[in-house]
Amino acid sequence: SQQGEEDPQALSIQEGENATMNCSYKTSINNLQWYRQNSGRGLVHLILIRSNEREKHSGRLRVTLDTSKKSSSLLITASRAADTASYFCVCGMGGSNYKLTFGKGTLLTVNP
Amino acid sequence: DTGVSQNPRHKITKRGQNVTFRCDPISEHNRLYWYRQTLGQGPEFLTYFQNEAQLEKSRLLSDRFSAERPKGSFSTLEIQRTEQGDSAMYLCASSPGWAANNYNEQFFGPGTRLTVL
């Protein structure tokens, strides 16, 4: 996998607001995954979007992928304090995606 | 709980000592991975097993580091002659032996936090 770059590095919002974080990458991908890491549940896979998909939803999460711009965004709607975490994007190149390459992530803080 | 487990959760050691960590993957998963994470960074890949075979080692894994998965189930990561720079969170992950649709969701354990004094 190649390293994605998350932006912004840190984001602070109030509970109930929406949070958007972005990921950019350099070369063509087969898929893109988002992971979340917090002290409570550790590092957890959230959602995967394939290169032939443009948008995907899972509960309060919405992921978009623009392969022409080599970028993805993760939107969390109606945020909760429990969403406070670091969010990482991981780009899959296809073939044996056995190695995940993480960037520095976006640190999201949701204030009650 | 049938997730990935790691022991110990915390380890404090003095520089120069050897330490060993254990990872128990999800039972039906053939693939097992070790990552290291330092403060403010994402996890960095260290090594990967397919069953008992160690198929890749990162350049980050110096000769002081050794990992085993003797029976294709649990794995151990040993660090010899620890240095202060080894202080980090060591994460283990596992995944099924097949990669459906060419992607690889990995299931992570809680990690072992190592502090070298």
Side-chain angles (χ1 to χ4, degrees):
Chain A
S1 57
Q2 66 174 288
Q3 182 173 323
E5 287 189 24
E6 298 89 352
D7 176 69
Q9 289 188 7
L11 180 60
S12 181
I13 60 173
Q14 296 299 122
E15 213 165 20
E17 293 180 341
N18 295 343
T20 299
M21 51 207 90
N22 304 296
C23 171
S24 59
Y25 55 91
K26 291 187 166 56
T27 61
S28 295
I29 60 171
N30 177 272
N31 60 75
L32 187 145
Q33 304 179 52
W34 285 90
Y35 281 78
R36 178 183 66 202
Q37 185 176 37
N38 60 24
S39 56
R41 296 194 60 190
L43 188 57
V44 175
H45 176 269
L46 292 177
I47 195 167
L48 173 139
I49 187 165
R50 296 185 175 83
S51 59
N52 60 354
E53 298 175 313
R54 291 296 166 258
E55 188 170 311
K56 202 158 180 183
H57 297 254
S58 176
R60 293 183 297 111
L61 305 180
R62 182 187 130 205
V63 170
T64 61
L65 179 64
D66 187 336
T67 53
S68 65
K69 294 182 179 176
K70 293 186 172 57
S71 68
S72 173
S73 67
L74 172 66
L75 168 67
I76 305 173
T77 59
S79 62
R80 305 167 182 168
D83 295 326
T84 294
S86 290
Y87 291 81
F88 300 94
C89 67
V90 177
C91 303
M93 309 295 288
S96 297
N97 277 332
Y98 57 83
K99 179 168 60 179
L100 301 181
T101 303
F102 292 84
K104 293 185 178 181
T106 291
L107 176 59
L108 172 66
T109 303
V110 182
N111 301 300
Chain B
D1 189 343
T2 56
V4 178
S5 62
Q6 293 186 245
N7 288 290
R9 296 290 304 274
H10 303 271
K11 178 72 177 177
I12 299 174
T13 191
K14 292 182 180 177
R15 192 177 55 183
Q17 299 293 305
N18 299 344
V19 294
T20 300
F21 311 140
R22 176 176 171 130
C23 170
D24 287 89
I26 294 171
S27 59
E28 61 268 24
H29 286 181
N30 294 340
R31 297 180 176 181
L32 186 146
Y33 316 80
W34 285 98
Y35 293 82
R36 180 174 69 188
Q37 185 175 25
T38 53
L39 201 61
Q41 305 293 319
E44 296 173 292
F45 171 80
L46 291 179
T47 190
Y48 152 63
F49 290 85
Q50 172 84 26
N51 298 311
E52 65 275 9
Q54 188 174 16
L55 297 186
E56 183 171 341
K57 291 169 60 172
S58 161
R59 281 174 232 169
L60 293 174
L61 218 62
S62 75
D63 4 355
R64 296 185 297 105
F65 288 70
S66 62
E68 293 183 341
R69 195 182 182 197
K71 296 181 181 177
S73 56
F74 73 91
S75 175
T76 58
L77 177 69
E78 182 184 14
I79 309 174
Q80 296 182 326
R81 305 181 303 280
T82 52
E83 302 172 355
Q84 287 184 325
D86 298 331
S87 294
M89 176 75 85
Y90 290 83
L91 295 166
C92 175
S94 69
S95 69
W98 47 271
N101 297 319
N102 252 3
Y103 89 93
N104 182 22
E105 176 186 349
Q106 296 183 14
F107 297 80
F108 284 81
T112 294
R113 182 169 296 284
L114 172 66
T115 302
V116 182
L117 301 176

